[in-house]
């Protein structure tokens, strides 16, 4: 495994790859969720590139950026064990030699949910992902459904910029108690960690009633479950169209997703679940 800290050196090496390139962008503090993306990439491609970069432009909260977990040595050991070919772990100046002032127009997909609660977040994601795609020029790029709205925004970005990369969404990896794996889970206090599985429990139980109860009742049921524990504060629960991410008010046909954001002390957790009513 070779580790690069400059885009010039990485791009020079990749220019001679001579095979398909799979790419997994991450912010490090790696866990099984990230490694599942790496395994998909290894399965599909001749070489796999992983980036580890805590992108300052996508943090709307300076404390969140400051506290974001970082552990490059452990990350590199995990990636080596997975048989990753190349890692790009640059300093901020290598990704942004000058400030990136681009503003992306995605229509409505980035305006709701995370976009509404974290102003500028998706614009920062688009800035870094478009730069990383230009450096790595991947054939396929792998993103987790854990960040369901991010996946939709990246699909829009690829269309907008007429890129040829194939964007592949991968399923959410969870802890044994159902909590979605996240680098931020390590920041939870023991009490908040113990409360956090209610988020997925609420989503799972409510999803059984998709198409049976009203959309509003299903959403209300999730909030009720999560609010059973006063340590959890729900920011939003929305049942949305799985491609446009816009709220639905009735169970019209088509794929649906239940999305939630919760504050657990100082840590913000997000999760989602398939909410498409099942035909019996
Ligand atoms: P991050 O390091 O949080 O920016 O995440 C990097 C990539 O890993 C993103 O595509 C995430 O959606 C994905 N990811 C993070 N957590 C999980 C998880 N629990 N299951 C699947 N993918 C995940």
């Amino acid at each position: 495994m070779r580790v690069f800290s400059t885009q010039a050196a990485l791009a020079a090496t990749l220019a001679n790859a001579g095979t398909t390139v799979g790419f997994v962008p991450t912010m490090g503090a790696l866990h099984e969720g990230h490694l599942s993306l790496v395994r998909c990439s290894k399965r599909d491609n001749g070489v796999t590139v992983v980036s580890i970069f805590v992108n300052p432009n996508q943090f709307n909260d300076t404390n969140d950026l400051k506290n974001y977990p970082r552990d490059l040595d452990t990350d590199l050991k995990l990636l080596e064990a997975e048989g990753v070919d190349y890692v790009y772990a640059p300093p901020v100046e290598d990704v942004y030699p000058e400030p990136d002032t681009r503003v992306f127009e995605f229509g409505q997909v980035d305006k709701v949910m995370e976009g509404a609660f974290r102003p500028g977040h998706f614009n920062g994601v688009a800035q870094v992902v478009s730069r990383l795609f230009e450096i790595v020029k991947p054939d396929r790029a792998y993103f987790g459904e854990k960040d369901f709205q991010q996946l939709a925004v990246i699909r829009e970005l690829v269309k907008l910029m007429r890129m040829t990369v194939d964007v592949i969404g991968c399923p959410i990896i969870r802890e044994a108690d159902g909590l979605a794996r996240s680098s931020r889970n390590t920041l939870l206090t023991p009490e908040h960690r113990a409360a956090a599985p209610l988020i997925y429990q609420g989503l799972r139980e409510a999803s059984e009633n998709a198409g049976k109860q009203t959309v509003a009742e299903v959403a209300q049921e999730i909030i009720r479950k999560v609010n059973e524990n006063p340590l959890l504060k729900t920011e939003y629960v929305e049942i949305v169209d799985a491609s446009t991410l816009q709220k639905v008010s009735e169970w019209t046909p088509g794929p649906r997703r239940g999305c939630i954001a919760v504050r657990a002390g100082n840590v913000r957790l997000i999760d989602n679940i398939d909410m498409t009513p099942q035909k019996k």
Side-chain angles (χ1 to χ4, degrees), residues 128-260:
V128 78
V129 170
S130 61
R131 280 166 186 255
L132 292 170
F133 280 1
E134 267 156 34
I135 298 164
V136 176
K137 301 193 177 18
D139 296 281
R140 303 186 185 88
Y142 298 81
F143 293 87
E145 289 184 343
K146 158 81 176 14
D147 300 279
F148 198 79
Q149 192 176 8
Q150 170 173 277
L151 182 55
V153 169
I154 287 172
R155 290 191 197 285
E156 284 305 310
L157 173 72
V158 165
K159 268 194 238 160
L160 193 72
M161 303 203 58
R162 299 173 200 274
M163 293 169 163
T164 53
V165 52
D166 199 358
V167 173
I168 297 170
C170 304
I172 302 175
I173 305 298
R174 299 181 178 282
E175 301 283 0
D177 59 15
L179 176 64
R181 301 284 314 238
S182 165
S183 304
R184 288 187 175 88
N185 291 353
T186 57
L187 304 175
L188 292 165
T189 66
E191 294 74 22
H192 289 103
R193 175 65 189 82
L198 276 179
I199 300 168
Y200 181 56
Q201 274 173 37
L203 286 176
R204 212 188 45 228
E205 288 171 18
S207 71
E208 306 275 319
N209 292 320
K212 297 179 193 151
Q213 297 176 334
T214 66
V215 169
E217 282 163 350
V218 169
Q220 209 44 54
E221 198 46 37
I222 299 169
I223 296 171
R224 192 195 57 73
K225 184 80 192 180
V226 173
N227 288 355
E228 270 178 19
N229 192 314
L231 292 176
L232 303 178
K233 308 256 180 284
T234 308
E235 268 189 0
Y236 64 77
V237 169
E238 289 194 13
I239 316 287
V240 300
D241 178 302
S243 8
T244 65
L245 281 289
Q246 303 309 297
K247 247 186 200 178
V248 297
S249 49
E250 285 174 48
W251 297 111
T252 45
R256 301 291 175 252
R257 206 85 188 175
C259 301
I260 184 167

Side-chain angles (χ1 to χ4, degrees), residues 4 7-19 21-22 47-49 85-86 132 135-138:
F4 297 88
Q7 52 172 290
L10 174 66
T13 300
L14 286 172
N16 306 316
T19 178
V21 175
V47 299
T48 290
V49 182
D85 301 280
Y86 305 125
L132 292 170
I135 298 164
V136 176
K137 301 193 177 18

